[in-house]
Amino acid sequence: MSFWFFRIAAALSFAGVVGHEFLGAPMVLPPLSMTDIPNEVIWLHHFSWHVGSVSVAAIIIMYVYASIRPGHVAMAVVATGMSAGFACLGIGLGLWGSNVMWETPAPYVWSLVALIGGLGVLASKKGNAA
């Protein structure tokens, strides 16, 4: 059963990274170059944007690995922890930063990935107990 949870979490994460790079990046990154923000800040934002995508790629790899190697649930635990951290960041920024965060997929997608990954971890634990 955990196999399916991990695969679904990986698929959602894959959709997230594709959307992040191919839909989000063109909306967010080019407009920065048309501002009077210093180049150092603009390029640090570019770097940070893509670090997010690399991090999600790592999450995908960990979930897929956990799904094909049932005894390696630690990978899914780390991926779920990262997803929960992303969810907390999105929710926290929405609550205490700007309401505009609620108009982005971040708080929702990462909460869902963390929930599904967590269910997979629980299902894996129950499978080991039986």
Side-chain angles (χ1 to χ4, degrees), residues 16-48:
V17 78
V18 167
H20 189 255
E21 282 299 318
F22 294 105
L23 299 175
M27 289 173 41
V28 174
L29 301 178
L32 288 174
S33 62
M34 293 186 260
T35 68
D36 59 355
I37 297 172
N39 272 338
E40 295 84 2
V41 175
I42 290 172
W43 285 101
L44 182 59
H45 184 74
H46 277 264
F47 176 78
S48 299

Side-chain angles (χ1 to χ4, degrees), residues 2 4 9 34 53 58-59 61 70 73-75 80 95 97 99 102 106 124 127:
S2 61
W4 292 110
M34 293 186 260
S53 294
I59 288 171
I61 291 166
V73 71
M75 292 288 209
T80 301
L95 291 173
N99 284 339
W102 299 113
S124 177

Side-chain angles (χ1 to χ4, degrees), residues 32-106:
L32 288 174
S33 62
M34 293 186 260
T35 68
D36 59 355
I37 297 172
N39 272 338
E40 295 84 2
V41 175
I42 290 172
W43 285 101
L44 182 59
H45 184 74
H46 277 264
F47 176 78
S48 299
W49 184 273
H50 297 300
V51 163
S53 294
V54 171
S55 299
V56 175
I59 288 171
I60 295 165
I61 291 166
M62 287 186 277
Y63 277 133
V64 169
Y65 186 80
S67 76
I68 61 176
R69 301 289 306 261
H72 294 83
V73 71
M75 292 288 209
V77 171
V78 172
T80 301
M82 290 174 68
S83 302
F86 290 170
C88 289
L89 179 60
I91 291 167
L93 288 173
L95 291 173
W96 296 290
S98 173
N99 284 339
V100 74
M101 281 303 297
W102 299 113
E103 297 171 20
T104 73

